[in-house]
């Protein structure tokens, strides 16, 4: 990637200055141009060209997202009309999408310049909400969720596939997920993990009380619709974990899979796959990630601590 325009997207609250400084040094070297949106300018400081959102999406050749999976998903949605590659630097917790840690960013930029990377396509769900005479479009790379609001009862919805009635739901939430998003809310709700090689989506009810109580896997060519049924007083509509609106009885949500809607940079796809499987298995352990250290014998913990201290001194 010669003389690229690299767009920078940062988490709104986390301290990402280590990676910002790395990118500023790269920018000063003349090997490319670093740009950021005006919304992020205050958190980044100098050494970066600040441009408007429209110019950002039209000019960038690559996006570097500093944060967790949420920041990376936001970056992918930002450039979805022109899906340039996105590289994620992990400042989050588990992080299934992000690949590299902050100390690895400098070496990653060298590999990008040398063309030593792969591109991983990602599908998305295109959703159209029809309600009260208005239409609103959404794009979800992980999942689209209709979720009950506390005190407002359950979510009731009819599902139709290709115009044919399939069944109904009455549950705390209904999750429609892509293969990448199947490891998120869908997995937590007991739904299946879909292979990244699969073109399709999965619909899973959360805490179902009646109607369809299992996950339904749908092919890429199948369009489906949720008709929000009688009894849904108020429910939140979430896209990739962000509340984007509200629905109630009478609303309709049309959903279809948009193939290859995004592109993710992979420097070591095999390592990322192994790490992802380990992270997924950790979610099933009855302890928090910070409690895992208690499972390591004391002598080994001390040895690891000494090795880390020696590495920092070097």
């Amino acid at each position: 990637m010669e003389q690229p325009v690299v767009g920078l997207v940062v988490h709104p609250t986390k301290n990402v200055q280590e990676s910002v400084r790395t990118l500023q040094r790269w920018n000063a070297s003349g090997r490319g141009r670093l740009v950021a949106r005006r919304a992020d300018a205050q958190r980044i400081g100098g050494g970066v060209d600040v441009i408007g959102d429209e110019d950002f999406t039209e000019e960038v050749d690559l996006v570097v997202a500093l944060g967790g999976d949420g920041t990376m998903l936001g970056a992918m949605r930002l450039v979805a009309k022109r899906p340039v590659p996105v590289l994620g630097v992990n400042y989050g917790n588990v992080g299934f999408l992000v690949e590299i840690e902050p100390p690895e960013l400098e070496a990653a930029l060298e590999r990008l310049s040398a063309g030593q990377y792969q591109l991983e396509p990602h599908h998305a769900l295109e959703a159209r909400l029809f309600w009260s005479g208005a239409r609103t479009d959404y794009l979800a790379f992980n999942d689209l969720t209709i979720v009950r609001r506390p005190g407002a009862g359950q979510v009731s919805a009819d599902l139709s596939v290709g115009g044919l009635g399939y069944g109904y739901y009455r549950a705390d939430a209904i999750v429609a997920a892509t293969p990448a998003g199947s490891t998120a809310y869908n997995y937590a709700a007991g739904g299946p993990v879909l292979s990244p090689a699969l073109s399709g989506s999965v619909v899973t009810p959360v805490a179902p009380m009646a109607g369809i109580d299992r996950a339904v896997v749908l092919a890429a060519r199948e369009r489906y619709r949720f008709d929000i049924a009688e009894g849904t007083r108020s429910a939140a509509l979430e896209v990739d974990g962000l509340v984007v609106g509200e629905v109630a009885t009478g609303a309709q949500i049309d959903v279809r899979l948009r193939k290859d809607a995004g592109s993710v940079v992979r420097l070591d796809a095999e390592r990322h796959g192994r790490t992802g499987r380990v992270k997924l298995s950790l979610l099933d352990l009855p302890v928090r990630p910070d409690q895992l250290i208690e499972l390591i014998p004391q002598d080994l913990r001390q040895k690891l601590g000494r090795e880390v201290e020696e590495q920092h001194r070097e």
Side-chain angles (χ1 to χ4, degrees):
M1 191 176 288
E2 298 180 1
Q3 297 292 312
V5 177
V6 175
L8 180 57
V9 173
V10 301
H11 189 279
T13 59
K14 292 184 182 294
N15 183 357
V16 298
Q17 289 308 305
E18 176 185 352
S19 293
V20 170
R21 287 191 293 269
T22 299
L23 287 162
Q24 288 170 333
R25 290 194 299 270
W26 175 86
N27 190 45
S29 72
R31 286 175 290 177
R33 179 186 175 213
L34 185 64
V35 300
R37 298 178 302 153
R38 290 195 179 93
D40 293 331
Q42 208 166 23
R43 300 204 63 241
I44 294 171
V48 182
D49 290 340
V50 176
I51 59 179
D53 282 10
E54 187 173 338
D55 291 334
F56 184 97
T57 57
E58 290 178 355
E59 294 181 18
V60 295
D61 301 306
L62 167 78
V63 175
V64 177
L66 308 180
D69 281 355
T71 306
M72 193 166 176
L73 289 166
M76 292 167 69
R77 290 194 301 272
L78 182 65
V79 296
K81 291 182 179 178
R82 180 175 162 262
V84 298
V86 178
L87 173 68
V89 183
N90 188 26
Y91 281 89
N93 296 313
V94 179
F96 283 98
L97 275 177
V98 290
E99 180 178 0
I100 66 171
E101 299 298 322
E104 301 174 307
L105 178 56
E106 189 167 1
L109 292 171
E110 295 290 342
R111 292 188 60 182
L112 285 170
S113 296
Q116 298 173 353
Y117 61 93
Q118 296 174 308
L119 295 180
E120 179 182 276
H122 277 251
H123 308 320
L125 295 177
E126 287 185 336
R128 287 184 172 177
L129 168 64
F130 298 91
W131 193 30
S132 300
R135 190 191 94 180
T136 311
D137 295 343
Y138 301 102
L139 189 69
F141 279 96
N142 254 12
D143 48 43
L144 177 87
T145 305
I146 310 161
V147 58
R148 68 181 290 269
R149 292 189 183 277
Q154 276 66 46
V155 173
S156 295
D158 296 315
L159 171 66
S160 58
V161 180
L164 300 176
Y166 198 95
Y168 79 98
Y169 295 95
R170 188 180 176 206
D172 280 0
I174 305 167
V175 183
T178 64
S182 67
T183 60
Y185 199 172
N186 165 75
Y187 182 76
V193 174
L194 303 185
S195 167
L198 178 68
S199 295
S201 60
V202 58
V203 179
T204 302
V206 179
M209 296 183 64
I212 304 171
D213 63 355
R214 310 260 177 121
V216 175
V217 178
L218 298 163
R221 68 178 184 276
E222 294 182 299
R223 300 190 178 204
Y224 49 102
R225 187 178 75 195
F226 298 107
D227 288 281
I228 308 304
E230 194 72 32
T232 306
R233 300 200 302 274
S234 175
L237 182 64
E238 295 183 357
V239 168
D240 292 337
L242 298 175
V243 176
V244 296
E246 181 179 3
V247 296
T249 302
Q252 294 180 343
I253 306 171
D254 289 342
V255 184
R256 75 178 187 96
L257 190 76
R258 176 178 160 189
K259 298 175 68 174
D260 301 339
S263 181
V264 172
V265 173
R266 289 288 174 236
L267 300 171
D268 189 340
E270 185 176 341
R271 186 190 75 162
H272 179 263
R274 290 196 306 270
T275 303
R277 288 191 292 274
V278 170
K279 290 177 178 179
L280 195 61
S281 67
L282 292 179
L283 295 181
D284 288 330
L285 292 178
V287 292
R288 294 191 305 270
D290 60 299
Q291 295 173 324
L292 289 174
I293 194 170
E294 300 299 328
L295 303 179
I296 303 175
Q298 181 67 26
D299 58 339
L300 183 55
R301 267 187 279 166
Q302 292 174 347
K303 180 183 177 182
L304 289 172
R306 289 192 297 269
E307 290 177 353
V308 169
E309 289 179 5
E310 289 174 3
Q311 289 176 357
H312 284 169
R313 284 198 294 270
E314 293 173 358

